Every structure is written in C-alpha cells, then in structure tokens.
Amino acid sequence: MRRIITLAQWILPKRLYEGLRFHFGRVFRFSATRKKICSYAGQKHILYALTPTPKLANIGDHAQVVAIDAWLKKHFPSYAILEVDKNEVLHCMPEIIDSTGPDDLVFLHSGGNLGDRGMYSESGRRKIIQGLPNSFVFSLPQTIHFSDSLTGNRERETSKRIYATHPNLVVLGRDKRSGELAKELFPKAESFSVPDFVLSLPCKEIAIKQNRAPRTLICLREDPESVLSDKDREQLVQSIAGEKEVFDTTFAEPIRREERSLKLEKTLDYFASFDSVVTDRYHGLIFSVLCQRPTVVLGTVDHKLTSAFDWFDAIQGLRFADSIDKVPFLLDEVKQEGFGNAPNWNGEYFDVLANRLKQIAETNG
C-alpha cells in the first residue's frame, strides 16, 4: 500500500493526489467505526449520537457524556448503547441508517449548539433526523439560539423544515427560553425544558481545608461567546481580593473517551479545592454546585446563563452579576451566606424525564 501511495504521489498532479489522499484517508479512518456500527444491526440498542470528539477538549462537553451514559444505563438497562461522535455521524450515516431499527431509540447529545453558532453539530443533528424517520429521536437538553442575521435566519428556516418532517421527535431545551424557542420553531415535536445533565452526577463531599487563606477560582471562557474584553478580564481578576487562580474548562490536550471520567473527577477536585468561584461558564457554575461552593455568575452573548439561572434561583450562595463591577460585593455576600438548599436533581428532574420519555415512546409506538 505504501508503494502505491508513493507511486501515485509521483504520477498524479498534486491537487488530484491530495484530493484522493484525503478521500481514501477518510475511508480507512472510519472503517473500524463502520464495522462497530454494523455489529449493532438487529440488536436492541440506543444510538447515542453527536458526542464530542477528543479534539473538542471542553471538559463540560465530556462531563455531559459521563452523566448521560450513566442515566441511560440506569433507566434503559435492557438496551445496549452505541455511542457515535460528531465526526462519526457525518462520515458513517449509511451504516447508522442500516443498523438502526424502529424499535431502537435515538438520543442526541446535549449542549449549547442548536443554532447557527454550532453548525457542525446542527448538521449532524439534521442528518440523524432526516435519516431515521422511523425511530424515536430524543434531542437532549440544548441551549437554542439562532442569531438575527442572514445566516442565522437561513439556518433557522432550514432546521425548522427538516425537524418538521420527523413524526416522533422530542426537542428538549436546557433553559426556559430554549424550551419556548423549541415550541415556536418545532411545533410538530414534543418540547419542554430540563436542566443540564451534569447536575445528575453525585455531589462532591470535600471539606474546605482549614488554616489557610481563602481562595477564589475565576473560571472564564476564552471564546466568541464571552462578552468580556481583555481589559474587562484583567479588571475583574484584579478586583477580587485574596488568593485566586484563573482557569478555563477547555483543555490544551484532547480528551479521549477512556479519559473522560478521570479528567472530570480531577476537575471537580480542583473546583472543590477553592472556597468560592466566579464564572461565566455554564459548567463552571454546575461544577461549583456539585462541589457546593458559593459562586458568582456572569452572562455570555446569549441566554445560556441568564435563562438557565432560573434552575438555581432557590439555592443559597449563588448570585448572578449583570456587570463585573458588582462581582466583588456579590462574592463577599455569597461567601458570608454559604452554599445550601440545592434540590434533588435526579428526583425532581432526571428520573421524571426518563419516565416521561418512555411514556412518549409507548404512547406513539
């Protein structure tokens, strides 16, 4: 094979060679995945699709996989689980279609990418919805946002048209506003809101170390969803008194499937080593809640946190800051108040969700 590749490199024009190399590289790259997918044909299974690839190294995305996988195993124990990531969906749809029967269930990964800012994920979601019309498709909690732009309006209409073709589709919002948008945009689908799945994970019972100065973790995003300029970030960090560290949930190295649980555990241990948290990351807030740490939250460019904060209204020791100037005061306030009064997330939401989705499948099956 190597000799053939070398010969082709000498004989063929460069552009043709590079094109063929790219095409056959994709074929061989996903050959093992295709075999794995085909092995599930005829087997009662759940297709859990559009999970993050290793290169999407945001631990918040991978934490959702850890939580959803545990939830699926708890509530659907008679089903085998076939996980396919975003790349695998886009390159292996013929095999996915052939191996997925009408009695299999399809769950699409949760997150914040149902909209024109997450078109790679949205393209995969559309392929699944179009390609599996005879299966129940459950799109797990998403922040839904299409920008008011030429591109956003065009992509919104495309998603509306494609989603409307599926007879058994459930679209879940990750916050109240996203749930409302799901009903508006996809009226033929069943739609409602539930919190982010990471909240279904067990809380960390780690006490604050005594005899040391209080420490604050400043967990800030460094991407286009941030509303903070470099100057704002610097001002915010300088305004927080005492020992502090700056962190982001996106890692420098890829997160492989077999590493997810360990890296999540280390991240939660890291959050728990601080006395308080300031964050504009949704999963920065959720990790803080799991670690039971007082937290001040800042908004982003959309309603991801402003609307989702409703889930946390009753919890003691959490505040939303509508400007960086208010963070120091609110941080002192939540530290004095302390963390408490968190709900039973599984009892109130995720166990109920499983029963509701089963009823939908049974009623329409």
Side-chain angles (χ1 to χ4, degrees):
M1 177 61 71
R2 186 169 294 176
R3 288 182 179 179
I4 294 174
I5 292 173
T6 302
L7 182 62
Q9 187 175 9
W10 281 100
I11 294 175
L12 298 175
K14 183 177 180 180
R15 289 185 65 182
L16 178 59
Y17 166 75
E18 293 294 342
L20 290 171
R21 184 184 178 195
F22 176 75
H23 172 74
F24 286 107
R26 288 195 305 172
V27 171
F28 290 117
R29 177 185 171 193
F30 292 99
S31 60
T33 302
R34 291 188 176 95
K35 289 180 182 178
K36 180 185 74 172
I37 293 170
C38 290
S39 72
Y40 281 78
Q43 180 181 1
K44 181 181 175 182
H45 71 277
I46 285 171
L47 173 67
Y48 175 27
L50 299 174
T51 58
T53 66
K55 287 186 178 180
L56 295 174
N58 185 330
I59 190 60
D61 293 327
H62 292 272
Q64 291 172 77
V65 183
V66 173
I68 291 167
D69 182 69
W71 179 80
L72 290 172
K73 289 174 179 175
K74 175 182 177 181
H75 292 286
F76 301 88
S78 64
Y79 289 79
I81 299 173
L82 169 61
E83 179 191 338
V84 289
D85 68 29
K86 298 178 185 185
N87 287 344
E88 292 166 342
V89 166
L90 292 173
H91 295 294
C92 303
M93 271 308 299
E95 291 77 15
I96 290 172
I97 291 170
D98 290 343
S99 66
T100 307
D103 294 328
D104 300 321
L105 302 177
V106 180
F107 289 85
L108 306 183
H109 187 58
S110 59
N113 50 50
L114 206 168
D116 57 299
R117 208 168 40 236
M119 283 311 303
Y120 191 66
S121 298
E122 183 61 6
S123 296
R125 206 159 18 245
R126 291 171 181 172
K127 283 183 177 291
I128 292 284
I129 291 169
Q130 283 182 306
L132 300 174
N134 298 318
S135 300
F136 280 93
V137 177
F138 304 107
S139 179
L140 295 174
Q142 284 283 341
T143 302
I144 302 174
H145 177 76
F146 288 92
S147 64
D148 186 14
S149 65
L150 183 64
T151 299
N153 293 333
R154 181 182 68 243
E155 299 300 343
R156 181 180 63 247
E157 293 306 310
T158 300
S159 290
K160 285 174 63 176
R161 174 175 52 80
I162 291 172
Y163 285 37
T165 64
H166 202 287
N168 292 304
L169 176 64
V170 176
V171 181
L172 303 180
R174 198 166 58 162
D175 58 86
K176 181 180 178 181
R177 179 57 187 145
S178 293
E180 293 170 349
L181 284 170
K183 290 182 182 296
E184 294 170 15
L185 298 175
F186 317 122
K188 291 186 178 181
E190 182 96 16
S191 301
F192 50 95
S193 299
V194 291
D196 187 284
F197 260 95
V198 179
L199 290 163
S200 68
L201 294 173
C203 290
K204 300 285 288 185
E205 298 293 342
I206 300 178
I208 296 291
K209 290 182 179 180
Q210 303 300 318
N211 303 320
R212 65 159 173 78
R215 303 169 68 232
T216 299
L217 178 62
I218 307 169
C219 177
L220 298 177
R221 62 190 317 134
E222 297 185 35
D223 62 21
E225 290 188 45
S226 174
V227 296
L228 301 178
S229 65
D230 290 342
K231 184 178 179 181
D232 291 334
R233 291 169 60 87
E234 183 179 353
Q235 179 183 334
L236 174 61
V237 172
Q238 293 299 322
S239 71
I240 296 173
E243 293 188 20
K244 57 208 167 191
E245 290 184 22
V246 180
F247 174 76
D248 189 14
T249 56
T250 298
F251 295 171
E253 302 83 21
I255 301 175
R256 296 191 295 271
R257 288 185 184 183
E258 62 272 17
E259 297 176 320
R260 285 171 179 156
S261 293
L262 179 59
K263 290 200 172 186
L264 173 59
E265 194 68 21
K266 289 183 176 179
T267 301
L268 291 173
D269 287 343
Y270 180 64
F271 269 73
S273 70
F274 292 85
D275 301 79
S276 56
V277 179
V278 174
T279 187
D280 64 354
R281 279 279 188 188
Y282 194 0
H283 289 102
L285 166 60
I286 291 172
F287 293 160
S288 301
V289 170
L290 292 179
C291 295
Q292 305 174 72
R293 296 297 183 255
T295 301
V296 176
V297 180
L298 289 157
T300 57
V301 295
D302 58 22
H303 57 265
K304 180 180 288 187
L305 275 166
T306 50
S307 180
F309 200 75
D310 290 347
W311 300 117
F312 308 92
D313 269 348
I315 298 179
Q316 179 181 306
L318 301 181
R319 296 289 188 279
F320 193 92
D322 55 18
S323 74
I324 60 173
D325 297 330
K326 296 180 181 178
V327 170
F329 167 76
L330 292 175
L331 188 59
D332 287 340
E333 192 174 83
V334 296
K335 286 194 287 188
Q336 290 176 16
E337 185 175 272
F339 184 92
N341 201 36
N344 178 344
W345 299 103
N346 285 299
E348 292 188 30
Y349 299 107
F350 301 109
D351 294 344
V352 174
L353 173 64
N355 292 331
R356 186 168 180 180
L357 295 185
K358 289 176 185 178
Q359 288 174 358
I360 291 171
E362 290 171 3
T363 302
N364 298 292

